[in-house]
Every structure is written in structure tokens, then in C-alpha cells.
Amino acid sequence: MYRKISIQRDDFDVGREWSELRAALAERVGAMAAFCGLVRDQYEENRVSNLELEHYPGMTEKSIDSIIDRAGARWPLDAVVVIHRVGALAPREQIVLVLATSSHRQAALEACTFVIDLLKTEAVFWKREVLPSGARWIESTNADRQRSTDWRR
Amino acid sequence: MAIKVRFFAALREQVGRDVVEVRAPTSGDIAGLLANMREQLGEAVVAGLTAPNVRVALNREFVNGDCAVRDGDEVAFMPPITGG
């Protein structure tokens, strides 16, 4: 299975990533699924002025690699791409891209969902929100933890 | 040689440093490392590292419970992660 993992400060171009992956695929691939996450401008009642992402170089890549391994063991995938940004991000900026490809749509769509769900709870990143009232580290939500747990069934 | 201990996110702010060199414990485990850190950094710092939601990594792999640590290892203390 082809895989690409990139942790970067710079923005990414979804169209370019999509085209590059499509060009590299085998002819049997019939489905590509994509998810792109954006920085929200609102958290609870507060307007977010900025989001800061920290990671652990070396370990973060390993944690994503392990998530892709598990996706590959579960669905017949041809490729998975994960691009995750770090540093300071403003609302509406792109923060994460997941691409998954397979022969058929169901595997590609489900694998894409699986990877983003596990990125929430198992990829080594920390998010800090800068609010008008000050900065605070974000904790994972019960809903995120539940979605991750649901995949263990 | 020593053990390189790293702190991330909220823990880095609590400790006030992102990395410290700690003498390798004669016991060769995380419990011994924490004891050495207590001497070096103070009780208050170490208390925050033993909270149930703090995860520990040895050489960039998560560990559950205690594990063997040696000179030259890198141990990281991490608050709950929030990716995606």
C-alpha cells in the first residue's frame, strides 16, 4: 500500500494532492475518498482567534503510521495520504487532509472516516485555542473518544 | 550519559522546560526515574506527571505502566492528545 505522511507548517493544496495521488494509482483503483478539516471559528460560546498545534517530531509520524497500518489491515486499500499541519492557524484555515483509495467506494469512504476518527484520539498532537479571554489547551471530547472506541467493535 | 526527559503542551508549561537531563536510575525503571526527577526538579513538578491521564513514551513509543529505562533513552510525559 502506498502511503504518505506529512507534518508541516505550510498550507497544502487539496487539488494538487488529489491529482498527484490519482496519477500514481494502479488501474484497478476505482474510488478515492477525501476529508479535509478546517479550523473552527467558534468553540462553545467563544470566538477563537487562533489555534496552535504542537507535535512530537518522530513520534507523531509513527502514531499516524500505526493508524494507517490498522486501516490497511481492515480494508483493501491502495493508498492513504495524511497531511497534518502544526504551528499557528487562523479560523477557516485547512488543518488536516486524509485521502484513501480502494477498488470500491465503501472501503475508501470507511477507511477515510476511520483514519480521521483515530487521528482525533491517537495521533500525537496538542491543540491550544487562543480565545479573547486567554489561551487554553483543548481536551478531546467524549464524542471523539466514543467514535474512536466504536471502531474497536 | 543520562536520560533525556521531555514534556509537552500543558505539562511543558507546568514544568517550565521542554527537556531535562536526568541521572539514569539504578532501579532501571520509570519509578526510579521519577524518584531521581523528584530530587532534581522537586516534588511539585513530579506530582503533575503521575496524574492518570498523563501518557508516557519511551523512545517515541507509548508505554503502559512501568518499563525498563537505560542511559541514552528518551522518556516523554504527555498530556491527553488532541489531533485531527
Side-chain angles (χ1 to χ4, degrees), chain A residues 53-59 62 84 95-96 116 119-128 137-140, chain B residues 6-13 53 55-57 59-62 74-84:
Chain A
L53 272 110
E54 180 173 335
H55 77 304
Y56 183 0
M59 180 154 183
K62 268 192 195 178
H84 206 303
I95 179 168
V96 60
I116 189 66
L119 281 172
K120 289 273 175 194
T121 55
E122 300 194 16
V124 179
F125 293 97
W126 297 273
K127 286 196 188 116
R128 199 163 84 119
W137 293 96
I138 300 179
E139 292 180 11
S140 64
Chain B
R6 301 181 66 165
F7 310 101
F8 289 91
L11 287 179
R12 175 170 43 73
E13 292 179 347
N53 64 356
R55 293 174 83 176
V56 178
N59 300 327
R60 296 180 168 85
E61 300 273 2
F62 283 118
E74 180 171 302
V75 174
F77 290 89
M78 302 185 282
I81 51 184
T82 49

Side-chain angles (χ1 to χ4, degrees), chain A residues 4-18:
Chain A
K4 171 179 167 178
I5 298 168
S6 177
I7 312 297
Q8 57 189 56
R9 300 188 79 85
D10 294 340
D11 197 8
F12 48 82
D13 180 336
V14 176
R16 180 188 296 170
E17 297 299 331
W18 181 274

Side-chain angles (χ1 to χ4, degrees), chain A residues 86-100:
Chain A
V86 292
L89 300 174
R92 288 181 297 281
E93 279 198 73
Q94 303 185 130
I95 179 168
V96 60
L97 177 68
V98 178
L99 303 177

Side-chain angles (χ1 to χ4, degrees), chain A residues 14-55:
Chain A
V14 176
R16 180 188 296 170
E17 297 299 331
W18 181 274
S19 302
E20 280 181 7
L21 180 58
R22 190 160 68 92
L25 290 174
E27 287 178 359
R28 68 177 179 281
V29 173
M32 290 179 70
F35 171 83
C36 181
L38 307 179
V39 177
R40 269 197 299 269
D41 66 351
Q42 189 106 12
Y43 187 81
E44 292 168 354
E45 296 305 303
N46 303 304
R47 277 198 89 71
V48 175
S49 42
N50 236 338
L51 192 66
E52 289 165 7
L53 272 110
E54 180 173 335
H55 77 304

Side-chain angles (χ1 to χ4, degrees), chain A residues 91 136 152:
Chain A
R136 45 167 248 158
R152 288 184 207 150

Side-chain angles (χ1 to χ4, degrees), chain B residues 13-80:
Chain B
E13 292 179 347
Q14 278 171 33
V15 175
R17 304 164 69 167
D18 59 352
V19 59
V20 290
E21 297 274 324
V22 178
R23 184 164 44 82
T26 49
S27 63
D29 57 18
I30 298 278
L33 179 71
L34 285 166
N36 286 358
M37 287 168 67
R38 214 168 266 125
E39 285 175 21
Q40 206 171 316
L41 303 168
E43 176 62 39
V45 164
V46 174
L49 302 178
T50 52
N53 64 356
V54 171
R55 293 174 83 176
V56 178
L58 173 67
N59 300 327
R60 296 180 168 85
E61 300 273 2
F62 283 118
V63 292
N64 291 309
D66 213 331
C67 66
V69 292
R70 297 183 298 183
D71 258 349
D73 280 343
E74 180 171 302
V75 174
F77 290 89
M78 302 185 282

